[in-house]
Amino acid sequence: MVRSTSLRARLMIVILVPLVLISLLAGFWRFTAARSTSELLFDRTLVALTLAIARDVVVSGGDALSPATLDLMRDTSGGGLFYHVNGPDGVFLTGYAYPPAMPIDFKAVTNVPVLFEAVYRGGAVRVARLSEMVTFDGVSGYSTVTVWQSMAAREAFALQLALRAALVMGLLIVTVGGVVWFGVNIGLRPLIELEGAIATRSPDDLSVIRRRVPVEVSGIVDILNTLFGEVSRAIVTRNRFISDAAHQMRNPVAGILSMAVAARDAPSEAERRSRSGELVEAARHASRLTQQLLSFERVRGLADKNRFQREDLTDLVRGVCRRNVARCFENGVELAFEDHAADCPVAVLADRVMLREAVQNLIDNALAHAGPENTAIEVSVAVEGAHASVTVRDFGRGLAVDQIETAFERFGQLDGGEGSGLGLAIVKETARQHGGVLAAVPVEPGASFTISLPVSGPDPEEPRM
């Protein structure tokens, strides 16, 4: 038996893999949103500080910053802030002496804070710049306030927010995984208990499983119960067949033994020849019975329909009739074959050997049980709709309606004749294995048996005309 991935592992994969993918997408979105949020917050802080410094420069005449602005600079998150202030005449007033240079392609505006990115001492920084008209000591001109901060602080802040979100999602995945694991164990417990109950059964216990199981598993249990029932019936049938076969073989074997002893102890050569002839007939009867037993078992084993082939039913039945013409003539019986489907081929899916033997058994049955008044046997093939039929009729003593069921049973004997009692049982089982039926058709005089089989569709490999 090839083992596949366990049901528990499949459920874990089906549930957790989509959850992990969604978590990764959510984490990426959270990092992007955190970066956007941090940029907005830090940019607003830079703009606020730039406006505050510009106001203090105007108020103090460029000498110093107010305590409130200095406190704001110290309380700002994300690392240190740097600033630089130029007076109206371009003279450095306060702050750091060398501010980051504005990009060449950046368009400067006045009276409005502008933001851009630059490089300061080898590191990326975010810069806020404000140029506005001021007057110091009678000198008027544009004063420029530049405030900048390292970009690393922003990235660290965004990464911190993303890591917190990832931690929450990771805990959620672990929690869901644990819940799923224990939930699956609880859900699979009925299956495990069912497996244990079946494993503890003895090989001979084919009784119905009555354990309560979930609805999802009830179908499997029903199939198992059906299988157990079929196996149980097959075993009972096989045991009954073996018992019947042993009973049927006991008398012929005992007869052969007694005839052999009589032939050995015959007082004269003529008597020995007579006893030997009876011994040969008894051995022939036993051989026929054995062959019928083997045939019955073989036809019951035709469950594999893949080995069936398309057969022309008319040719098959005609061939059986040809082989029996001489035999029927020796018994004073005329054998006739009629093809009622001459206008079209009659194709059926069948085991050629067993179907041929079924027709042979019907002819043997007519010869053996129709009685001395029978003078003819008619064999015909016909097609009606989707079914083809083979009919074997005799004109002998006939078969009463209340005798049909007995005639179809295994070892069924109606007149205590020399037959094995398996002929019609083999025909019936052969018809069933081929998807058809065997029926006894009331006729006067004689008896008529018909095998009905489904007609096979056209062979795709046959050339079309």
Side-chain angles (χ1 to χ4, degrees), residues 18 34 37 47 61 115 124 217 246 248 254 267 300 314 321 333 359 368 377 427 456:
T37 301
V47 171
L115 295 165
V217 189
Q248 292 293 325
R300 290 181 62 229
T314 303
C321 292
V333 177
V359 178
I377 297 176
V427 178
S456 174

Side-chain angles (χ1 to χ4, degrees), residues 43 107 170 188 195 233 261 285 349 351 359 374 390 432:
D43 286 349
K107 184 178 180 180
L188 293 179
E195 178 188 9
R233 286 190 293 272
V261 172
H285 174 70
L349 284 178
D351 182 300
V359 178
N374 180 43
V390 179
R432 188 187 70 83

Side-chain angles (χ1 to χ4, degrees), residues 153-387:
R154 299 173 178 231
E155 296 291 339
F157 181 74
L159 183 60
Q160 184 179 14
L161 293 179
L163 289 177
R164 290 178 181 176
L167 179 61
V168 173
M169 292 178 185
L171 292 176
L172 177 63
I173 292 175
V174 173
T175 303
V176 172
V179 171
V180 170
W181 181 266
F182 289 106
V184 169
N185 286 339
I186 295 174
L188 293 179
R189 187 173 300 166
L191 282 177
I192 298 174
E193 294 176 352
L194 177 62
E195 178 188 9
I198 296 176
T200 55
R201 285 190 170 202
S202 67
D204 299 329
D205 185 4
L206 297 175
S207 59
V208 174
I209 300 174
R210 303 187 183 279
R211 179 177 295 272
R212 294 175 61 87
V213 294
V215 178
E216 294 79 4
V217 189
S218 60
I220 299 177
V221 175
D222 291 341
I223 294 175
L224 283 176
N225 287 334
T226 301
L227 178 61
F228 287 162
E230 292 179 354
V231 172
S232 180
R233 286 190 293 272
I235 292 175
V236 171
T237 302
R238 180 63 58 84
N239 291 339
R240 188 172 67 225
F241 175 80
I242 293 174
S243 176
D244 292 345
H247 175 74
Q248 292 293 325
M249 289 296 297
R250 181 179 59 188
N251 291 337
V253 172
I256 291 173
L257 178 60
S258 63
M259 290 179 185
V261 172
R264 183 194 64 184
D265 299 336
S268 64
E269 186 66 24
E271 184 72 14
R272 182 177 292 108
R273 289 196 186 97
S274 176
R275 297 295 184 185
S276 298
E278 293 175 356
L279 177 61
V280 170
E281 288 299 323
R284 184 178 292 114
H285 174 70
S287 175
R288 178 60 178 167
L289 177 58
T290 304
Q291 184 63 34
Q292 291 282 56
L293 290 171
L294 293 176
S295 297
F296 186 78
E297 277 303 287
R298 181 184 176 190
V299 75
R300 290 181 62 229
L302 287 179
D304 185 10
K305 304 298 189 299
N306 292 327
R307 66 180 185 181
F308 283 11
Q309 296 181 352
R310 284 171 55 88
E311 300 289 348
D312 188 325
L313 185 62
T314 303
D315 288 346
L316 186 146
V317 175
R318 183 184 288 113
V320 175
C321 292
R322 285 173 179 169
R323 286 193 298 272
N324 284 273
V325 170
R327 179 179 170 216
C328 290
F329 180 77
E330 292 174 357
N331 286 271
V333 177
E334 179 184 356
L335 179 61
F337 173 72
E338 297 181 7
D339 182 7
H340 298 301
D343 296 336
C344 59
V346 183
V348 294
L349 284 178
D351 182 300
R352 182 177 184 84
V353 175
M354 296 311 301
L355 188 56
R356 186 170 54 197
E357 184 167 347
V359 178
Q360 180 66 54
N361 283 342
L362 290 180
I363 297 176
D364 291 344
N365 181 76
L367 287 173
H369 301 290
E373 61 268 33
N374 180 43
T375 58
I377 297 176
E378 292 181 353
V379 182
S380 62
V381 176
V383 175
E384 183 176 353
H387 288 81

Side-chain angles (χ1 to χ4, degrees), residues 41-57 65-85 94 113-115 126-130 132 144-150 154:
L41 292 175
F42 280 85
D43 286 349
R44 287 182 177 179
T45 301
L46 285 179
V47 171
L49 284 172
T50 301
L51 294 175
I53 293 173
R55 181 202 60 191
D56 290 349
V57 169
L65 301 181
S66 65
T69 300
L70 293 175
D71 290 340
L72 179 61
M73 294 179 64
R74 283 192 296 268
D75 295 339
T76 300
S77 61
L81 285 166
F82 307 91
Y83 68 96
H84 173 90
V85 180
T94 185
V114 294
L115 295 165
R126 184 72 167 169
V127 183
R129 190 171 184 272
L130 173 63
E132 58 182 358
T144 302
V145 178
T146 306
V147 181
W148 65 95
Q149 187 180 36
S150 174
R154 299 173 178 231

